Amino acid sequence: MRNIFIHKYNDIISVENLLLAWQEFLKGKKSRKDVQEFQLHLMKNIFELHLDLKNKNYKHSKYQKFNVSDPKPREINKAKVRDRLLHHAIYQKLYPYFDNKFIFDSYSCRNGKGTHKAINQFKKFAGKVSKNHTKTCWVLKCDIKKFFANINHQVLKDILFKNIKDKDIFNLIVIIIDSFETKKGCGFGLPLGNLTSQLLVNIYMSEFDQFVKHKLKVKYYIRYADDFVFLSQDKNELEKLIPHIEKFLDKRLKLRIHPNKIYIKTYASGVDFLGWVNFNDHRVLRDKTKKRIFNNLEKQIKRCSGVNENSKQSYLGLVSHGNTYKISGEIKSF
């Protein structure tokens, strides 16, 4: 059965959908001041947003910028609660349609996927390619240079236009896309803080996924956001893929592979992928990941005279997916 986007503009902007979106948006945010202020006059704020959308008067507000360094320095752009509520309302209608179009082995920001599923699939693929580790499994690993900052607005709009025939929905998404640029007037970039950005980059990179699977006909391929790997018994086969990958990313998506983050090596020698160094019979945490965990725990002690138990359990859950008995003990000792 053909996957058809059936929703109309009113399905997104209706008061009912905005209220449902609010319930999703509210999770984990009830204690935040801006959320509490919006909730204080919730129905008034939702009706005003609905009317602005209905009358085509909606304008996206400016972003609040702040920096984080977990795991590396990033600039987060946070929209106002009103806009983030709309992001949720759009997301919950668009996500099911586009998720059905994505390849199975795309793992970022998808229900039932995630980093742990991705690295488990990586291990499974390595076992198949190596014939249960009796043959050499080569891995080509790449990631994209300044991924979010280099998403081309016009290319993204062209992809969306092919899928969304309701002009009002399309125009609303265009407002979200155009609400942010890496530099004013450049027509590039999506904000890291938007829920819609997570879906839009998957829609964008789905073009690459389809190229890899149907044009290059690569069987063993996994992508998580801008990190992706190819597995093969033939090192030369992987080397031949590189110019095709680079050409497609450049010509079709206006993206470039990071020149310092592309390599081919054997799985048995240890492949660094999604925070873990993966080997034939085990995986260990990347040194940077370990350092980040302990730095964060130490910062909590300094700020709060103790470690947040939820944070501690979260880290223990993370490290439970590898060979980390010693690290688990160290975390428990905090």
Side-chain angles (χ1 to χ4, degrees), residues 87-103:
H87 299 167
H88 276 259
I90 293 170
Y91 181 90
Q92 61 190 18
K93 294 300 183 186
L94 263 63
Y95 175 83
Y97 166 75
F98 282 104
D99 190 66
N100 282 331
K101 296 172 74 70
F102 298 153
I103 66 167

Side-chain angles (χ1 to χ4, degrees), residues 288-332:
K288 286 183 179 178
T289 308
K290 286 189 284 187
K291 185 177 180 181
R292 174 167 55 91
I293 289 172
F294 292 123
N295 283 344
N296 286 346
L297 292 172
E298 286 168 2
K299 285 178 183 177
Q300 287 181 27
I301 290 174
K302 289 178 182 178
R303 285 199 307 263
C304 312
S305 301
V307 172
N308 181 288
E309 192 60 31
N310 289 335
S311 177
K312 190 173 177 178
Q313 292 303 317
S314 176
Y315 286 135
L316 287 171
L318 167 66
V319 302
S320 69
H321 292 272
N323 302 75
T324 54
Y325 178 79
K326 182 180 177 182
I327 298 170
S328 295
E330 291 177 11
I331 292 173
K332 289 175 183 176

Side-chain angles (χ1 to χ4, degrees), residues 107-167:
Y107 286 87
S108 175
C109 302
R110 295 180 66 192
N111 297 338
K113 301 288 185 176
T115 54
H116 302 314
K117 291 283 182 68
I119 58 176
N120 286 338
Q121 184 75 324
F122 186 37
K123 180 180 180 181
K124 183 179 176 181
F125 278 179
K128 287 183 176 181
V129 171
S130 66
K131 308 294 183 185
N132 289 325
H133 312 302
T134 60
K135 305 285 185 180
T136 300
C137 172
W138 291 94
V139 179
L140 165 62
K141 182 178 179 296
C142 314
D143 81 9
I144 292 167
K145 188 174 183 180
K146 296 182 179 179
F147 181 44
F148 274 79
N150 285 315
I151 299 296
N152 183 288
H153 287 191
Q154 190 56 54
V155 172
L156 177 56
K157 291 171 192 176
D158 290 343
I159 295 168
L160 289 167
F161 188 76
K162 291 188 299 183
N163 290 277
I164 298 173
K165 302 306 178 185
D166 187 301
K167 291 182 179 179

Side-chain angles (χ1 to χ4, degrees), residues 30-47:
K30 291 181 180 180
S31 62
R32 297 179 186 176
K33 185 179 178 182
D34 56 347
V35 175
Q36 291 175 345
E37 288 173 350
F38 191 91
Q39 191 167 30
L40 194 62
H41 305 286
L42 179 62
M43 291 312 300
K44 177 177 178 290
N45 288 327
I46 283 182
F47 275 114

Side-chain angles (χ1 to χ4, degrees), residues 139-321:
V139 179
L140 165 62
K141 182 178 179 296
C142 314
D143 81 9
I144 292 167
K145 188 174 183 180
K146 296 182 179 179
F147 181 44
F148 274 79
N150 285 315
I151 299 296
N152 183 288
H153 287 191
Q154 190 56 54
V155 172
L156 177 56
K157 291 171 192 176
D158 290 343
I159 295 168
L160 289 167
F161 188 76
K162 291 188 299 183
N163 290 277
I164 298 173
K165 302 306 178 185
D166 187 301
K167 291 182 179 179
D168 291 331
I169 294 177
F170 175 76
N171 289 336
L172 181 58
I173 299 169
V174 167
I175 291 173
I176 305 295
I177 293 170
D178 288 342
S179 69
F180 177 86
E181 291 177 304
T182 309
K183 292 181 181 179
K184 190 173 181 179
C186 71
F188 284 87
L190 292 176
L192 281 169
N194 280 8
L195 176 65
T196 47
S197 296
Q198 298 175 8
L199 177 60
L200 291 173
V201 294
N202 269 341
I203 294 169
Y204 201 83
M205 287 301 290
S206 181
E207 299 286 302
F208 179 66
D209 296 338
Q210 299 299 331
F211 170 74
V212 168
K213 300 302 290 185
H214 300 300
K215 297 295 184 182
L216 298 182
K217 300 190 184 300
V218 176
K219 186 175 182 180
Y220 299 108
Y221 161 77
I222 296 170
R223 183 179 63 80
Y224 187 95
D226 61 328
D227 286 344
F228 47 92
V229 290
F230 304 81
L231 298 86
S232 175
Q233 284 185 16
D234 189 341
K235 183 182 180 182
N236 290 331
E237 179 183 285
L238 295 179
E239 289 174 341
K240 290 177 182 177
L241 287 177
I242 296 172
H244 295 290
I245 294 166
E246 290 178 324
K247 182 178 179 181
F248 181 87
L249 288 172
D250 180 33
K251 299 295 183 183
R252 177 71 182 95
L253 299 178
K254 313 302 180 187
L255 297 171
R256 286 181 173 79
I257 295 175
H258 197 300
N260 299 327
K261 295 182 180 179
I262 178 170
Y263 64 76
I264 299 176
K265 64 187 301 186
T266 63
Y267 186 80
S269 67
V271 177
D272 188 334
F273 183 51
L274 301 181
W276 295 86
V277 182
N278 301 268
F279 297 89
N280 283 346
D281 56 354
H282 69 288
R283 67 173 71 105
V284 296
L285 270 179
R286 181 192 294 163
D287 287 340
K288 286 183 179 178
T289 308
K290 286 189 284 187
K291 185 177 180 181
R292 174 167 55 91
I293 289 172
F294 292 123
N295 283 344
N296 286 346
L297 292 172
E298 286 168 2
K299 285 178 183 177
Q300 287 181 27
I301 290 174
K302 289 178 182 178
R303 285 199 307 263
C304 312
S305 301
V307 172
N308 181 288
E309 192 60 31
N310 289 335
S311 177
K312 190 173 177 178
Q313 292 303 317
S314 176
Y315 286 135
L316 287 171
L318 167 66
V319 302
S320 69
H321 292 272

